[in-house]
Amino acid sequence: TPEVDEGVDWVELGLLPTPADPPDNPTTAEKVELGRLLFFDPRLSGSGQIACASCHDPDLGWADGRTTSFGHDREPLRRNAPSVLFAAFQPALFWDGRAGSLEAQAAAVLRNPKEMHADEEIVARLAAVPEYREAFAEVFGPGGVTIDRASRAIAAFERTLVGGRSRFDAFLKGDRAALSDAAISGLDLFRTRARCLNCHHGPALSDGQFHDLGLSYYGRSLEDLGRFAVTGEPADVGRFRTPSLRNVTATAPYMHNGLFELDGVLRMYDAGMATIRPKEDQR
Amino acid sequence: TPEVDEGVDWVELGLLPTPADPPDNPTTAEKVELGRLLFFDPRLSGSGQIACASCHDPDLGWADGRTTSFGHDREPLRRNAPSVLFAAFQPALFWDGRAGSLEAQAAAVLRNPKEMHADEEIVARLAAVPEYREAFAEVFGPGGVTIDRASRAIAAFERTLVGGRSRFDAFLKGDRAALSDAAISGLDLFRTRARCLNCHHGPALSDGQFHDLGLSYYGRSLEDLGRFAVTGEPADVGRFRTPSLRNVTATAPYMHNGLFELDGVLRMYDAGMATIRPKEDQR
Ligand code: HEC
Ligand code: HEC
Ligand code: HEC
Ligand code: HEC
Ligand SMILES: [Ca+2]
Ligand SMILES: [Ca+2]
Ligand SMILES: [Ca+2]
Ligand SMILES: [Mg+2]
């Protein structure tokens, strides 16, 4: 039986469900296909050079392998690009959870001048491509190409990126030989003494909540206060959303700032798990 | 003692020497520094978005982690981007060896419309940056910014990317604990029965020569005849330059077309080493 700290509302590990699509953006095969085209198309960016896939490349675990990403004009961004695999299972997107849906997330990135840098010019550029004109009409009806529609198609595509064929899944389905003995004892540690299950639980191995592991770099050049920037709550200083650990070996480097390799993450936890103890002024 | 096929002119594995700089492009600290700036500067590309480091990123083993790279306008290129670490030790650059020096290689990439897409406009763009005007004058004297000079500075920078602090180097220096028992027996296999030393020899673990491992995909959509495109010699069909194996675990995926992971490479060799047996019409 798992060991979890008191008060933690945990969910057992398990097979991934099919992600639910929101009522105002039902998934259809045509929409997914349009989303896929858009996801890989650099014409969505102001420069014409950067696609979603530039930072979320299937070859790199649907991330980019960089410590932190490079945006428009190769300006360094401040955060590590998370994989979009399994993003469909997160209740809030971005390391600080500032987007409430994949639709909102895509629109935010598209409009961000530091990332895709898309604007009405891009919309006109896409609308000039006959295949896009037709696909948008087929999927959304009259009304043409809009950033909102593009975002909805991309979100529908992302909801299909949910893996589910890992050795861990095979093990869950009953194939005991799918995991090595070392992996099984790791899984046991994960669920018990190592306390990982406190935050990395449920089929996606994430509670979707925000926690402070002491990586805010408060007062230093790498400072990133995480969730605090969204809520303004002192208790949220240094809190970041728990990432999924599915397919995690493919998405080095780790943490919101990409400063660790996997062994570094484990050494950090080993040196002492972050204790959830509010500071004086946070009580 | 190593086992090598008859007639193979092999060199023992060993510590890397300092790469020699060519007489017409002596290395100086200022030149290296200018080369470093240029290497990471997206202004060298026609779009202003792509730097050398976009495809040769230190975070990704000085390569890009992609199966094959994406060039200007995110057009897919046909080959896997090799690391520029240790490139200084190769007598000929590119998978097909078509560049005879790092200087010629850099100039070729800069001018290639599918890659950097640089031209006189770029030169003017760089010359408009006071720091570059000064640095080019300091390093090369009067004569301003030219692609040729930029290429020489980049080449000088690349000659500094030569690693040399691996566990293998520690082992060579006498620290026997630096390699695990498994690694040591792998090294022994490498030098003997596995026949790797036939081609991967010398300090850089490459003979700098061209060999056909049967990966030309002749007649199929991925066809790439390798060295043949440079020499026109039938014997060169399917031959590619032996890559260095230093730091090789950091530069997945593998081979000129990026179609293999490391286990796939080993399985390929295990299934039967390519036999150097000319076809009827190649004799
Ligand atoms: C220039 C690099 C870059 C580009 C281009 C880019 N992203 Fe991202 N993406 C990032 C980074 C960095 C983050 C994390 C940002 C943060 O947390 O503040 C991120 C976060 C995300 C997330 C949240 C994942 C999670 O687990 O919270 C999703 C989903 C996503 N991107 C999808 C997209 C889509 C769709 C596009 C194209 C419309 C796109 N990205 C373009 C770098 C990029
Ligand atoms: C208190 C909540 C909590 C606990 C307990 C916890 N984690 Fe985490 N984990 C997080 C958060 C939050 C992050 C992201 C932190 C950041 O980016 O600053 C994270 C990040 C990670 C990452 C990096 C993932 C990525 O894609 O960057 C790994 C790996 C990881 N945790 C594994 C573990 C393991 C193994 C354990 C148990 C030893 C564990 N975690 C326990 C909350 C937790
Ligand atoms: C768009 C991606 C991309 C960009 C940008 C790029 N490269 Fe490359 N690089 C490649 C690919 C792909 C190859 C292999 C091409 C081939 O063999 O035909 C390569 C090959 C090389 C090699 C040969 C390495 C070897 O072992 O043979 C060197 C050196 C190199 N690039 C340096 C540079 C420099 C310097 C720049 C900037 C001026 C640069 N590259 C820009 C993708 C890129
Ligand atoms: C006949 C010459 C030859 C022999 C023998 C040989 N190699 Fe290679 N090796 C090459 C060539 C040439 C390539 C590149 C082939 C290509 O890209 O099409 C290569 C590629 C590789 C790569 C991929 C490197 C990269 O960066 O893409 C690895 C790993 C490798 N060899 C390991 C080995 C091992 C291990 C052995 C012994 C079992 C071995 N090689 C024997 C010539 C050889
Ligand atoms: Ca791969
Ligand atoms: Ca990561
Ligand atoms: Ca490679
Ligand atoms: Mg790294």
Side-chain angles (χ1 to χ4, degrees):
Chain A
T1 48
E3 294 171 25
V4 214
D5 292 1
E6 243 188 77
V8 173
D9 194 17
W10 68 284
V11 177
E12 186 51 283
L13 309 182
L15 295 172
L16 291 160
T18 304
D21 42 6
D24 60 349
N25 191 26
T27 296
T28 65
E30 292 74 22
K31 197 186 281 178
V32 167
E33 203 38 47
L34 172 59
R36 185 197 315 276
L37 284 178
L38 292 165
F39 192 88
F40 289 94
D41 193 336
R43 289 176 294 192
L44 260 70
S45 59
S47 66
Q49 304 294 319
I50 305 171
C52 304
S54 299
C55 302
H56 302 284
D57 190 314
D59 269 355
L60 293 155
W62 297 87
D64 69 0
R66 266 83 180 178
T67 302
T68 59
S69 298
F70 295 99
H72 185 69
D73 283 346
R74 209 166 189 269
E75 289 290 338
L77 303 179
R78 292 175 55 228
R79 293 196 178 144
N80 178 260
S83 178
V84 293
L85 258 192
F86 310 111
F89 297 108
Q90 290 290 357
L93 284 309
F94 290 124
W95 287 102
D96 53 19
R98 69 188 179 280
S101 69
L102 287 173
E103 287 78 3
Q105 192 283 332
V109 174
L110 281 171
R111 293 209 172 90
N112 188 333
K114 291 193 179 157
E115 292 181 51
M116 301 296 282
H117 201 239
D119 54 15
E120 297 317 306
E121 209 184 299
I122 304 321
V123 170
R125 194 194 288 166
L126 294 184
V129 181
E131 288 79 8
Y132 274 133
R133 269 207 311 277
E134 281 162 36
F136 274 86
E138 194 191 335
V139 172
F140 296 107
V145 176
T146 66
I147 290 192
D148 180 64
R149 287 175 159 196
S151 304
R152 288 202 275 151
I154 289 171
F157 168 61
E158 289 175 317
R159 286 194 182 92
T160 68
L161 304 176
V162 293
R165 297 217 209 145
S166 67
R167 276 182 287 147
F168 178 54
D169 291 298
F171 179 82
L172 289 173
K173 284 181 195 150
D175 175 3
R176 272 143 200 246
L179 294 188
S180 67
D181 289 356
I184 292 173
S185 77
L187 175 58
D188 182 55
L189 268 175
F190 189 94
R191 295 175 73 246
T192 59
R193 283 190 293 130
R195 294 177 56 214
C196 313
L197 207 67
N198 274 313
C199 306
H200 298 282
H201 60 230
L205 298 155
S206 166
D207 61 1
Q209 302 299 308
F210 303 88
H211 303 278
D212 176 16
L213 301 187
L215 298 174
S216 68
Y217 289 79
Y218 183 70
R220 282 173 279 167
S221 66
L222 289 175
E223 177 179 293
D224 185 342
L225 303 185
R227 185 68 178 161
F228 173 75
V230 179
T231 65
E233 294 287 339
D236 283 335
V237 168
R239 286 191 181 158
F240 293 89
R241 197 209 56 212
T242 311
S244 170
L245 299 184
R246 281 186 167 267
N247 205 33
V248 76
T249 53
T251 55
Y254 301 99
M255 302 308 190
H256 69 274
N257 51 14
L259 277 180
F260 292 95
E261 296 296 322
L262 214 44
D263 58 344
V265 175
L266 294 177
R267 249 182 269 126
M268 179 201 80
Y269 282 121
D270 209 35
M273 178 69 71
T275 318
I276 305 142
R277 192 177 42 187
K279 299 198 191 79
E280 193 67 37
D281 62 345
Q282 293 177 339
R283 289 201 196 118
Chain B
T1 47
E3 294 171 24
V4 214
D5 291 1
E6 243 188 77
V8 172
D9 194 16
W10 68 284
V11 178
E12 185 52 283
L13 309 181
L15 296 171
L16 291 159
T18 303
D21 44 4
D24 59 348
N25 191 25
T27 295
T28 66
E30 292 74 24
K31 196 186 281 177
V32 167
E33 203 38 48
L34 173 59
R36 185 196 315 278
L37 284 177
L38 292 166
F39 192 88
F40 289 94
D41 194 337
R43 289 176 294 191
L44 260 70
S45 59
S47 66
Q49 304 294 319
I50 304 170
C52 302
S54 298
C55 302
H56 302 283
D57 191 314
D59 269 355
L60 293 156
W62 298 87
D64 69 1
R66 265 83 180 178
T67 303
T68 59
S69 299
F70 296 99
H72 185 71
D73 284 347
R74 210 168 188 271
E75 289 290 338
L77 303 179
R78 291 176 54 228
R79 292 197 179 143
N80 179 260
S83 178
V84 293
L85 259 192
F86 310 111
F89 297 108
Q90 291 290 358
L93 284 309
F94 289 126
W95 287 102
D96 53 19
R98 68 187 180 279
S101 69
L102 287 173
E103 287 78 3
Q105 193 284 330
V109 175
L110 281 171
R111 294 209 171 92
N112 188 333
K114 291 194 181 155
E115 291 180 52
M116 302 295 284
H117 202 238
D119 54 16
E120 295 318 306
E121 209 184 298
I122 304 320
V123 170
R125 194 194 289 164
L126 295 184
V129 181
E131 289 78 8
Y132 274 132
R133 270 206 309 277
E134 282 162 37
F136 274 85
E138 194 191 335
V139 172
F140 296 107
V145 176
T146 67
I147 291 190
D148 181 63
R149 286 175 159 195
S151 304
R152 288 202 274 150
I154 289 171
F157 167 61
E158 290 175 316
R159 287 197 180 90
T160 68
L161 304 176
V162 293
R165 298 217 209 143
S166 68
R167 277 182 286 147
F168 178 54
D169 291 298
F171 179 82
L172 290 174
K173 285 180 195 149
D175 175 3
R176 271 143 200 247
L179 293 187
S180 67
D181 288 356
I184 293 174
S185 77
L187 176 57
D188 182 56
L189 268 176
F190 189 94
R191 295 175 72 247
T192 58
R193 282 191 295 131
R195 294 176 55 214
C196 313
L197 207 67
N198 274 314
C199 307
H200 298 282
H201 59 231
L205 298 154
S206 166
D207 60 2
Q209 301 299 308
F210 304 88
H211 303 278
D212 176 16
L213 301 187
L215 298 174
S216 68
Y217 289 80
Y218 182 72
R220 283 174 277 168
S221 67
L222 289 174
E223 176 179 292
D224 185 341
L225 303 184
R227 185 70 178 160
F228 173 75
V230 180
T231 65
E233 293 287 336
D236 284 334
V237 168
R239 286 192 181 158
F240 293 88
R241 198 209 54 211
T242 312
S244 170
L245 299 183
R246 282 186 167 267
N247 205 32
V248 75
T249 54
T251 55
Y254 301 99
M255 302 308 190
H256 68 273
N257 51 13
L259 278 180
F260 291 96
E261 297 297 321
L262 214 44
D263 58 345
V265 175
L266 294 178
R267 247 182 272 125
M268 179 203 77
Y269 282 121
D270 209 35
M273 178 70 71
T275 317
I276 305 143
R277 191 177 43 185
K279 300 197 189 81
E280 193 66 37
D281 62 346
Q282 293 177 340
R283 289 204 196 116

